[in-house]
Amino acid sequence: MFDATTILAYRSDDLAVIGGDGQVTFGNTVLKNNAVKIRKLYKDQILAGFAGSTADAFNLFEMFEGHLEAKKGDLLKAAVEFSKAWRKDKYLRRLEAMMIVLNRENIFILSGNGDVVEPEDGKIAAIGSGGNYALSSAKALDRHAKLSPEELVKESLMIAGELCIYTNQNIRLLTI
C-alpha cells in the first residue's frame, strides 16, 4: 500500500455513502488539507473515490465515466471494462492508484492490476494508507453501534485520522 489518502465506502440497504479525508502529502510534507477525492458520476447515480496522485485521479475518473456512459450506468460491466483498459495501458497500469466505486446495489475496489474486487460483506470498502484503520472502525461500528450510514463513514474516517499520519480529519461525504 502506498501513502496516499483514506477513502471509505459503505452500502446499506437503501443508501450508498463514500467519504474521504482532505490531506494531500508530498513525502513527509502536507501540501493541502482540503482536497476533494470523491465525486458523483453518471447522472449522480455512482459514487467514486480515489487514492493516488491528483493528476491521475482526474484522468481515471474521466476514463471510468466514459465506460459508465458506454455501459449505460451498469456499474459491474463498466468496472470490468475499465479495469481491463487500465491494465492494458502501459502508462496507466504503472500508477500507484486505486479507486472505490459504488451505487446502492454494488461496491467495488479497482486497481491498475486489473482488480475488480467486491468486499466479502458486500457493503464496506476502504483504500489508501489509512484504509485499514477506517475499515476496521467501520466494521466495528456496523456491528455494534446504531449509526446512520453517513455517521458511520464519518466517524470511521475520523478514527483513521487519529491513527494514520497520511490522513487528516477534514472529511467530505457524498450520499446517494
Side-chain angles (χ1 to χ4, degrees), residues 38-159:
I38 57 175
R39 64 171 51 176
K40 290 183 179 181
L41 303 174
Y42 192 74
K43 304 174 186 175
D44 293 342
Q45 297 173 15
I46 307 290
L47 299 174
F50 182 85
S53 81
T54 307
D56 298 337
F58 290 121
N59 288 334
L60 292 172
F61 277 144
E62 186 176 301
M63 185 176 157
F64 183 67
E65 188 140 39
H67 287 280
L68 281 170
E69 291 290 336
K71 299 297 180 188
K72 297 179 174 50
D74 186 315
L75 184 58
L76 176 58
K77 289 180 181 178
V80 169
E81 291 303 314
F82 168 75
S83 291
K84 284 196 271 185
W86 187 359
R87 185 169 193 246
K88 288 178 184 177
D89 187 290
K90 71 179 188 174
Y91 298 108
L92 292 178
R93 72 173 172 237
R94 293 187 183 141
L95 300 178
E96 289 191 0
M98 295 182 85
M99 291 177 67
I100 294 178
V101 295
L102 72 152
N103 59 15
R104 291 182 185 152
E105 293 79 37
N106 297 291
I107 182 171
F108 302 108
I109 298 171
L110 311 177
S111 80
N113 294 328
D115 300 317
V116 178
V117 179
E118 182 177 23
E120 189 170 307
D121 63 8
K123 63 183 186 176
I124 306 172
I127 57 173
S129 57
N132 286 334
Y133 302 115
L135 181 63
S136 297
S137 175
K139 285 180 176 255
L141 290 172
D142 186 49
R143 290 179 189 159
H144 303 291
K146 301 247 186 268
L147 299 174
S148 72
E150 292 94 343
E151 291 169 326
L152 184 143
V153 170
K154 184 172 185 177
E155 190 59 33
S156 297
L157 286 167
M158 294 294 282
I159 291 168

